[in-house]
Amino acid sequence: MKAKTTETTPKKAETKKQESVLTELQTKRERKVVLMQGNEAVAYGALDAGVNFFAGYPITPSTEIAEILALELPKRGGVFIQMEDEIASICAITGASLAGAKALTATSGPGFSLMQEGIGFAKITETPCVVVNVQRMGPSTGMPTSPAQGDIMQSKWGSHGDSPAIVLYPDSVKESYELTIRAVNLSEKYRTCVILLLDEVLGHMREAVRLPDMANVRVISRIKPTVPPHWYKHYDENQKYLSPLASYGEGYRFHVTGLTHDVHGFPTNKATEAAEMMERLRKKISYNIRDLVQIESHKMEDAKIAIFAAGIVSRAAKAAIAMARQEGILVGLLRPLTIWPFPDDAVRKMLRNVETVIVPELNQGQLIHEIQRLTKDKSESNVISLQRVNGQLLSPNDILRKIKEVS
Amino acid sequence: MATIPQRIIHEYLRHDKKFPHVWCSGCSIGIVLGAIIRAIASMNIDRDDIVMVSGIGCSSRMPVYVDFNTLHSLHGRSIAYATGVKLYKPHLKVIVVTGDGDCTAIGGNHLIHAARRNIDLSVILINNFIYGMTGGQCSPTTPQEAIATTAPYGNIEPEFNICELAMGAGASHVARTTAFHTQEVQGMVKDAINHPGFSLVEVISACPVIYGRLNKKGGAPQMMKDMRDNSIPLTAVDKLPPEKVEGKIIRGTLRRDIRPEFCAEYAKLVERVKTAEGKNEEL
Ligand SMILES: Cc1ncc(C[n+]2csc(CCOP(=O)(O)OP(=O)(O)O)c2C)c(N)n1
């Protein structure tokens, strides 16, 4: 709105100051370069992905996502509701999704912990939804406005029982937008709760971005059943483990339960049916790993040392790599955009070609476990951890120092 | 005569699915389910437009058996799930079936906030004064001095008056009866579904196998008789001397207010915002 009217009616634009930059972008065909926060990019990505239901509870550093959606969703006829807590929020988005919504919530560590039971429910019931976790330093209330990458393992293992996770991890404002869309798309396609992890810094940092025209945004929606209602199986089996999903109110009258269930969705205690359900949950991720895993390889062609880093840390790593290469040290970066399922193949390949891997992370060592799991044939000294948990970022110099130490 | 309601019930059950049911003999939950089904049948609502949501507990098992859109969710969270369903598709009739523990202990927060919002959910709360499914632990409605497996020396905590709790939080339709009074249950469920706002129907129920046994209540028939004898209709309260009212279960519609309903208010907000947007576009 603003951009459209600045030339002619600047006063009008001023009075609408509280409007987000997104409004103007969304309504305009052609999108300009604007300064945007990671959190704004997430909100905007959600809207572009077709999210029409948001339920959430305020928590730093994620609140801007809720605030923007509170402003934007009603304009589009979507639903925004501030629930009484995070537990209610995950439940509400799951209920809405079963009624046909594209639903998303956003939170941070403490709220993410509260949501874990509900995340498990969305996974076992194969209900699409997205949880954005803008990580802050913990444990507990920790340092609400300081960055940390402490929820990497929680995003995979936080919910009780066995359930594979899809977790995406951007490293820029632009990518926050892109991966939000991807998270919504994957949740719809794979009928599961997808988690988007963001670093606090990224949530609040502003970068100049030009978002793509809507025509260039690929939006995926759940497959709808085509069979008559009495043929419908809520958990239909097929080769790719991707099954159609009816919504409440469309005449299919299905049952949904968090209990172990058969293909119709009814509770079962039969070992065979239980195994079948668990296998489907596992296989729909493992069989589609190529579609799910995204990884960036940076200057790895001739690298003798590799850095494995996700999110904001990988940016410091890139700067460190540039400095190291000036001094003739052959170092590259492998950055997972999908951290779960873990990019085993890419990491194995990397390990074949390098002597040393440095894993810098803003926690007491989480991602490094995955690298160590894949380095059985290497001695432990080949996998070097660089950790920081004092609320501050790892700088390029911190990483450069480590590179020099090991080179 | 008896064949007609029977036929209705079968029509609404998923008879080819998961029977026999999980409830103990003498349990009141089936009676309440029957009343809910008869209420719905009498209203001619399209079954596709009904969503029955529950949490976890014996009473929360109801959705498995009925041929509606059904959602057996997490312990305590039925109202939160129902809120999402209703808010996204407000034309659906969303009925929440829940237990005293499910709704007022772990789910207490959602109950009060849904009541405050006045979102159009019909909550049928089956109060058997105990945690049935987990084997007889204390609930927020376990009477003082009653025995529970986690109150083996007698419960020392005061109990919730569920209807007062809901009214205090702003529920616009609140009613109470017992599983003995099936016709009343049926009528109250119907009223609740018809009510445009948050409604709560508390149905006092017999759990003879757990609560009854722990507290020597004399078995299912005796517990039924007690519900008959220890309850009085709201309409009679004023006519009776206070000592006859003391300690009795008061049955009746305790509140029926019409006030702005949440989904409708949200729709208005959307309209308002869209209109404002439209105007700006023209400038
Ligand atoms: C988070 C969580 N905590 C505890 C339980 C165990 N649990 C299952 S049912 C139940 C209580 C049920 O009591 P109530 O809601 O009164 O229903 P009833 O079984 O008596 O009908 C509990 C504590 C659970 N399933 N989930």
Side-chain angles (χ1 to χ4, degrees):
Chain A
M1 207 121 324
K2 212 168 79 194
K4 214 174 180 181
T5 52
T6 30
E7 305 97 74
T8 48
T9 51
K11 269 187 196 140
K12 181 75 196 168
E14 268 169 36
T15 58
K16 299 201 83 192
K17 227 183 243 154
Q18 85 281 15
E19 294 233 338
S20 70
V21 288
L22 306 181
T23 319
E24 108 193 35
L25 285 167
Q26 177 70 16
T27 49
K28 275 176 70 77
R29 291 237 169 67
E30 180 201 342
R31 290 170 167 182
K32 290 191 172 164
V33 176
V34 285
L35 264 186
M36 189 183 281
Q37 275 189 338
N39 281 346
E40 281 179 289
V42 167
Y44 198 24
L47 292 167
D48 282 1
V51 166
N52 51 14
F53 192 100
F54 178 94
Y57 189 80
I59 182 167
T60 306
S62 76
T63 37
E64 291 82 4
I65 299 172
E67 286 165 359
I68 292 163
L69 291 173
L71 201 60
E72 296 301 321
L73 277 168
K75 293 181 193 168
R76 296 163 170 80
V79 179
F80 172 89
I81 182 171
Q82 180 171 323
M83 294 299 286
E84 50 273 17
D85 57 32
E86 287 86 350
I87 299 176
S89 305
I90 179 77
C91 299
I93 65 164
T94 308
S97 177
L98 287 167
K102 278 196 181 178
L104 176 140
T105 186
T107 187
S108 184
F112 191 56
S113 299
L114 284 178
M115 286 181 188
Q116 292 301 336
E117 190 193 11
I119 289 172
F121 184 85
K123 284 182 181 173
I124 195 175
T125 61
E126 301 187 44
T127 308
C129 60
V130 173
V131 176
V132 181
N133 174 9
V134 189
Q135 297 171 92
R136 60 194 238 175
M137 201 185 138
S140 193
T141 312
M143 286 157 78
T145 52
S146 296
Q149 300 182 315
D151 300 347
I152 286 172
M153 286 299 171
Q154 189 189 189
S155 69
K156 179 173 170 63
W157 299 113
S159 199
H160 61 282
D162 292 298
S163 64
I166 302 177
V167 182
L168 311 182
Y169 207 153
D171 80 339
S172 69
V173 170
K174 178 88 187 296
E175 205 175 84
S176 301
Y177 167 86
E178 290 162 355
L179 291 193
T180 302
I181 295 174
R182 185 166 156 77
V184 177
N185 284 346
L186 293 179
S187 79
E188 290 282 315
K189 185 169 176 185
Y190 291 96
R191 285 184 54 177
T192 191
C193 178
V194 173
I195 291 156
L196 179 76
L197 280 186
L198 226 64
D199 292 303
E200 182 277 338
V201 197
L202 201 49
H204 283 157
M205 176 173 80
R206 284 178 199 279
E207 286 186 294
V209 286
R210 182 204 293 276
L211 299 183
D213 294 348
M214 268 310 285
N216 297 328
V217 174
R218 186 159 166 257
V219 171
I220 299 177
S221 297
R222 59 192 73 175
I223 315 166
K224 299 301 260 181
T226 49
V227 296
H230 57 282
W231 289 5
Y232 178 67
K233 283 189 208 154
H234 194 59
Y235 304 99
D236 206 0
E237 298 138 290
N238 60 34
Q239 283 173 333
K240 286 185 155 181
Y241 300 92
L242 308 177
S243 44
L245 175 58
S247 305
Y248 288 149
E250 290 177 347
Y252 285 88
R253 297 206 299 274
F254 51 91
H255 182 62
V256 171
T257 178
L259 288 167
T260 300
H261 43 257
D262 62 19
V263 290
H264 292 280
F266 290 97
T268 179
N269 283 326
K270 279 191 203 146
T272 48
E273 288 177 341
E276 211 175 283
M277 189 203 80
M278 292 301 287
E279 274 295 88
R280 189 178 52 250
L281 292 182
R282 188 177 68 80
K283 281 184 180 164
K284 75 174 175 182
I285 307 296
S286 63
Y287 270 47
N288 296 295
I289 217 143
R290 282 206 182 156
D291 183 33
L292 290 166
V293 167
Q294 274 190 335
I295 189 148
E296 182 198 2
S297 180
H298 174 73
K299 299 202 188 300
M300 285 296 293
E301 300 75 26
D302 57 349
K304 292 275 167 286
I305 301 170
I307 297 175
F308 188 84
I312 197 72
V313 176
S314 64
R315 295 174 59 143
K318 275 185 194 163
I321 289 166
M323 297 190 282
R325 281 198 171 253
Q326 295 226 315
E327 298 180 29
I329 308 172
L330 295 177
V331 51
L333 168 81
L334 204 63
R335 174 176 77 91
L337 284 73
T338 309
I339 56 165
W340 308 115
F342 196 74
D344 282 16
D345 287 350
V347 170
R348 278 204 191 92
K349 198 168 143 227
M350 161 188 91
L351 289 167
R352 269 201 298 274
N353 300 330
V354 302
E355 282 149 19
T356 312
V357 184
I358 303 171
V359 188
E361 45 186 337
L362 300 176
N363 53 45
Q364 294 184 327
Q366 296 196 16
L367 271 179
I368 193 166
H369 292 305
E370 294 301 306
I371 308 293
Q372 284 165 341
R373 175 174 64 81
L374 298 165
T375 49
K376 280 181 228 97
D377 52 335
K378 298 218 173 195
S379 79
E380 270 195 22
S381 60
N382 295 116
V383 182
I384 316 273
S385 184
L386 176 57
Q387 306 164 6
R388 173 161 297 170
V389 271
N390 60 359
Q392 293 184 352
L393 293 174
L394 281 163
S395 69
N397 273 323
D398 295 326
I399 297 174
L400 180 65
R401 216 170 298 129
K402 201 59 159 186
I403 295 171
K404 284 187 174 166
E405 247 173 56
V406 303
S407 66
Chain B
M1 283 303 283
T3 58
I4 294 163
Q6 203 61 23
R7 191 179 53 75
I8 289 173
I9 292 203
H10 284 172
E11 203 180 296
Y12 279 80
L13 292 179
R14 286 164 165 155
H15 50 84
D16 55 339
K17 298 280 161 56
K18 299 289 158 183
F19 279 87
H21 58 68
V22 297
W23 300 311
C24 310
S25 57
C27 171
S28 299
I29 296 169
I31 299 173
V32 181
L33 179 57
I36 294 174
I37 288 173
R38 279 189 292 272
I40 291 169
S42 75
M43 296 170 76
N44 280 324
I45 311 171
D46 188 337
R47 247 177 284 186
D48 291 336
D49 292 341
I50 296 177
V51 186
M52 188 184 268
V53 185
S54 71
I56 301 291
C58 300
S59 12
S60 289
R61 277 301 180 100
M62 275 190 198
V64 183
Y65 309 116
V66 284
D67 191 15
F68 302 130
N69 301 284
T70 47
L71 173 51
H72 177 219
S73 72
L74 294 174
H75 187 41
R77 313 300 168 197
S78 49
I79 289 177
Y81 280 94
T83 298
V85 174
K86 179 73 187 176
L87 200 47
Y88 188 67
K89 282 201 177 147
H91 75 278
L92 296 174
K93 300 273 183 208
V94 182
I95 300 167
V96 174
V97 286
T98 176
D100 41 278
D102 193 57
C103 195
T104 69
I106 190 166
N109 201 26
H110 312 306
L111 168 68
I112 59 174
H113 289 283
R116 172 180 64 81
R117 288 185 188 111
N118 198 31
I119 183 166
D120 184 11
L121 305 176
S122 312
V123 178
I124 318 300
L125 190 158
I126 298 170
N127 182 3
N128 58 8
F129 306 107
I130 200 120
Y131 285 16
M133 182 135 275
T134 40
Q137 298 80 16
C138 244
S139 142
T141 58
T142 304
Q144 260 181 318
E145 292 169 22
I147 303 292
T149 55
T150 47
Y153 307 110
N155 176 28
I156 58 167
E157 293 185 24
E159 73 256 27
F160 264 146
N161 179 326
I162 292 176
C163 289
E164 274 176 19
L165 174 69
M167 287 191 285
S172 54
H173 176 89
V174 177
R176 181 197 292 123
T177 187
T178 84
F180 175 84
H181 302 87
T182 46
Q183 293 288 331
E184 267 179 26
V185 179
Q186 195 176 317
M188 284 175 182
V189 169
K190 200 171 152 177
D191 286 350
I193 295 173
N194 276 331
H195 177 73
F198 185 85
S199 41
L200 181 124
V201 180
E202 178 186 6
V203 185
I204 306 290
S205 296
C207 166
V209 171
I210 297 176
Y211 183 73
R213 188 175 44 77
L214 287 173
N215 289 285
K216 305 197 170 29
K217 294 287 182 189
Q222 187 56 46
M223 289 180 86
M224 276 288 165
K225 279 184 202 150
D226 288 347
M227 288 196 278
R228 179 192 64 193
D229 299 339
N230 291 334
S231 68
I232 47 172
L234 182 63
T235 45
V237 170
D238 290 344
K239 292 169 211 142
L240 291 169
E243 64 272 17
K244 293 230 164 178
V245 178
E246 178 71 26
K248 292 278 198 284
I249 299 164
I250 307 211
R251 309 189 327 264
T253 302
L254 308 176
R255 179 187 285 170
R256 193 176 178 90
D257 269 354
I258 298 295
R259 64 180 185 89
E261 192 275 327
F262 184 69
C263 299
E265 290 305 295
Y266 189 80
K268 279 192 218 160
L269 175 134
V270 166
E271 234 7 80
R272 184 154 50 86
V273 172
K274 275 186 171 170
T275 319
E277 277 285 290
K279 283 201 186 117
N280 286 339
E281 280 292 319
E282 281 163 28
L283 283 174

